[in-house]
Amino acid sequence: MSLPLHSRVADALRTEIADGVLAVGSPVPSESALCERFEASRGTVRAALGTLRNEGLIAGGRGRPPTVCAPAVAQPFETFMSFTAWAQSIGRAPGQRTLEVARRAASSVAATALGLDPGTTVVDVLRLRTLDGSPALLERSSFVESVGRKLFDFDPDSGSIYAYLIEQGIDLHGGRHTIDAVLASDADAAALDVDPGAALLRERRRATDSSGTPLEYADDRYRPDRVTFTIDNTQSTHDLRIVKEIS
C-alpha cells in the first residue's frame, strides 16, 4: 500500500534536509510552491509541514515563514544540570537575560518540592536562556533562602548560576528531573517568541546536596523546535542517561 501523499511530501523534504539541499537556516519553499511541485492540496502540504515541525526539522509557522533547523546534538548527563556548560560543550553560544531575582514566599508547589513550610521565604529567579542569540528556554527557579541570597552578589546575566554557586561552596550534587509538555502561557509566549498556547517542553527539576537536602526547585520551559530530550538506558547496568538535543 502506498503512503498517503502528505507522508510522501514529508519524506521528500526530510531527505532534502538530510542531504543539505535545504540548508540549515534556509526558508522552506512556500506552500503554494509545494502544492504545485507535488500536485497536492494546501491541506496536504500543511500536514506534511506539521510533521516536520513536530520532528524538530523546521521551525516557524502561523505568520512566520518556516525555516530549516540545525541538526540535533546530544548532551551527556553530567552536564544536564547546567544549560551553560551543555551549550559550551557543543560549541554553541549560551546567553541569558535576567527578568527577575526576588525574595518572596515560596509558591505552594515550590514549598512542597523543597520540603518547606508554606510561606517560607525563597529566592526566585526568572531568566530567558538563548542559544546563539535565539530564545530557547524560559527558566524559573526557586532556591532555598540560604542558597539564593548569594545570588544578590552575582550578575545572573554574566553566566552560569550553578557554576557561581559551586564556587561559593554550595554542594550542588544531584537532581531529579521530570519532563512533560505544557501549553505556553501569555508570559511564556512573549519571552520565547511563540504563539500563546503553543506546545512547550517542560523540565521540572529538584536539585539537592550530597545528603539529599533540596536546594532548588525549577520549572524550565523549552521551545521544542530548539531543544529536545532523549533518554538512553542499558539493560545490563540499569543506568539511565538523559540527553538534551538541539533541534
Side-chain angles (χ1 to χ4, degrees), residues 81-97:
M81 296 284 286
S82 171
F83 180 89
T84 299
W86 163 64
Q88 291 173 340
S89 74
I90 57 172
R92 305 297 287 269
Q96 51 276 321
R97 179 162 59 89

Side-chain angles (χ1 to χ4, degrees), residues 26 28-29 31 38 52 54 63 85 107 135 140 147 152 189-190 211 236:
S26 67
V28 176
E31 289 183 3
F38 292 101
L52 299 180
N54 290 338
S107 69
R140 293 179 174 91
V147 172
F152 291 105
S211 70
S236 58

Side-chain angles (χ1 to χ4, degrees), residues 17 31 57 72 115 137 139 167:
I17 291 171
E31 289 183 3
L57 295 177
L137 157 67
E139 182 181 75
E167 288 175 0

Side-chain angles (χ1 to χ4, degrees), residues 34-124:
L34 293 173
C35 288
E36 181 176 355
R37 173 184 169 185
F38 292 101
E39 299 182 351
S41 68
R42 193 170 294 269
T44 295
V45 166
R46 287 177 176 171
L49 294 177
T51 297
L52 299 180
R53 191 175 291 111
N54 290 338
E55 294 174 0
L57 295 177
I58 65 173
R62 296 192 181 182
R64 292 186 294 274
T67 57
V68 178
C69 294
V73 182
Q75 179 219 6
F77 177 75
E78 54 266 24
T79 61
F80 185 71
M81 296 284 286
S82 171
F83 180 89
T84 299
W86 163 64
Q88 291 173 340
S89 74
I90 57 172
R92 305 297 287 269
Q96 51 276 321
R97 179 162 59 89
T98 304
L99 305 178
E100 180 185 50
V101 180
R103 294 176 75 252
R104 61 166 58 95
S107 69
S108 59
V109 173
T112 299
L114 294 170
L116 302 175
D117 293 329
T120 300
T121 298
V122 296
V123 175
D124 285 343

Side-chain angles (χ1 to χ4, degrees), residues 212-235:
T213 301
L215 302 180
E216 177 209 21
Y217 171 73
D219 181 321
D220 296 345
R221 303 188 178 196
Y222 293 83
R223 283 184 52 157
D225 60 333
R226 300 279 162 81
V227 180
T228 59
F229 298 95
T230 300
I231 297 176
D232 292 333
N233 68 308
T234 59
Q235 184 177 8

